[in-house]
Amino acid sequence: PWDLDPILDAFPETPWIYIMRNPVEVMMSYRKEAITMTTSLKKKKGVDMGGLGFTNSSNCVRKKFHRTPKLQSEVRQYGLYQKWAAKGMDDLPNHVYCAAHLAVVNRIALEWYRERPGGMLVDYSGLVETLKHKVIPNHFGFELDEDAIARIDEVGGTYSKASRKINKKKNPVNES
């Protein structure tokens, strides 16, 4: 899932972006998502939420059971495999696996950025403004009219992980 080389090989002239976010915020988002998803199960079936709230339903933990060779080698390189999981990667604590997963994804993106033309690293904070004023017009080369900017603002005000759309301007949501 984290191998974009075939896509970048097929479309070498196509500009691309990688959206970066503070790793602590990402980990908290993973944790919050897992707690939200499992709270109802815990109430209904007495499910144990596991260490630090990272359960098998956490986005990053789901990758634990469908990992790529690249992820396995990266986890071993950082010494997490030997330190935490003498029996195998499946035994890594979920929060450790999530941190390793995030490190690998960011490391691979940085490698692509350094080695492949057309990449741009974009900070998640201020994403909507950056898309409107830098990424779309300068990096992708598209001129935005007032209607396009209004649509970007509207979509940018929607909380992406909500089961129903919540406009941040009307109902602020704190993801951290």
Side-chain angles (χ1 to χ4, degrees):
W2 299 112
D3 189 5
L4 288 181
D5 286 329
I7 296 170
L8 295 175
D9 288 342
F11 304 99
E13 302 299 318
T14 303
W16 58 274
I17 65 170
Y18 179 73
I19 300 172
M20 305 172 302
R21 187 174 178 194
N22 178 326
V24 173
E25 291 176 4
V26 174
M27 291 290 290
M28 294 306 294
S29 179
Y30 283 154
R31 182 177 180 272
K32 181 179 178 182
E33 179 183 355
I35 289 172
T36 301
M37 290 171 55
T38 58
T39 298
S40 62
L41 285 175
K42 185 176 182 180
K43 288 178 184 175
K44 291 178 186 175
K45 300 179 181 179
V47 173
D48 180 14
M49 299 218 330
L52 302 178
F54 291 92
T55 69
N56 288 346
S57 64
S58 299
N59 184 41
C60 54
V61 178
R62 287 182 293 209
K63 309 290 188 235
K64 186 176 182 179
F65 305 104
H66 305 286
R67 59 191 168 264
T68 64
K70 179 96 172 161
L71 179 60
Q72 288 176 313
S73 87
E74 290 284 328
V75 170
R76 285 187 181 103
Q77 177 181 338
Y78 286 112
L80 294 170
Y81 185 77
Q82 293 82 8
K83 180 177 179 180
W84 290 95
K87 296 179 185 175
M89 284 183 65
D90 291 346
D91 294 328
L92 280 172
N94 288 345
H95 67 284
V96 173
Y97 187 85
C98 282
H101 175 261
L102 181 59
V104 169
V105 170
N106 285 327
R107 185 177 163 113
I108 291 169
L110 188 57
E111 287 174 13
W112 288 327
Y113 175 73
R114 289 179 177 157
E115 297 170 6
R116 299 290 193 138
M120 181 178 190
L121 303 176
V122 178
D123 190 349
Y124 177 83
S125 62
L127 180 60
V128 173
E129 294 302 312
T130 302
L131 286 172
K132 291 188 306 188
H133 301 293
K134 292 181 182 176
V135 175
I136 296 171
N138 299 334
H139 189 63
F140 290 124
F142 291 102
E143 190 174 317
L144 297 173
D145 60 20
E146 289 180 22
D147 290 338
I149 291 172
R151 286 193 304 275
I152 291 169
D153 285 334
E154 181 180 347
V155 172
T158 303
Y159 180 55
S160 63
K161 292 183 182 176
S163 58
R164 60 184 172 78
K165 305 241 182 207
I166 299 173
N167 188 303
K168 288 182 182 178
K169 293 176 186 171
K170 293 179 185 173
N171 299 306
V173 176
N174 184 353
E175 289 190 59
S176 56

